[in-house]
């Protein structure tokens, strides 16, 4: 019998593409690998920062990160993702 492995969690900040861009990315992925499983449009994102995996996060840490997130603002900008990289379980578009 295998030992029970607890779920691990991570917290991250991410940019979500506009729906039009998410559809373009999905179309590009379908063209490259028509039989591959693709990420749902609603789950597409660009990770900006990520925490380590943990079995739990103290609620005070989560509240602090949410406060920080509400202060982050930026003018619209272009983001070019023109590199393709492959990991063990995924393929990702990356900036130059």
């Amino acid at each position: 019998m295998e030992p029970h492995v607890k779920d691990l969690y991570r917290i991250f900040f991410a940019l979500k593409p506009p729906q039009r861009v998410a559809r373009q990315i999905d179309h590009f992925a379908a063209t490259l690998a028509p039989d591959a499983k693709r990420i749902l449009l609603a789950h597409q994102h660009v990770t900006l920062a990520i925490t380590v995996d943990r079995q739990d996060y103290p609620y005070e840490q989560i509240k602090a990160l949410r406060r920080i997130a509400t202060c982050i603002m930026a003018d619209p900008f272009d983001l070019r993702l023109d590199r393709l990289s492959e990991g063990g379980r995924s393929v990702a578009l990356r900036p130059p």
Side-chain angles (χ1 to χ4, degrees), residues 9-11 51-62 65:
Y9 302 95
R10 63 178 62 152
I11 299 171
T51 64
V52 297
D53 291 338
R54 291 181 49 169
Q55 290 181 354
D56 63 359
Y57 276 92
Y59 184 64
E60 290 304 315
Q61 270 188 328
I62 294 170
L65 290 170

Side-chain angles (χ1 to χ4, degrees), residues 38-50:
R38 296 191 311 277
I39 295 172
L40 296 173
L41 297 182
H43 294 177
Q44 287 185 15
H45 66 277
V46 176
T47 301
L48 301 175
I50 193 165

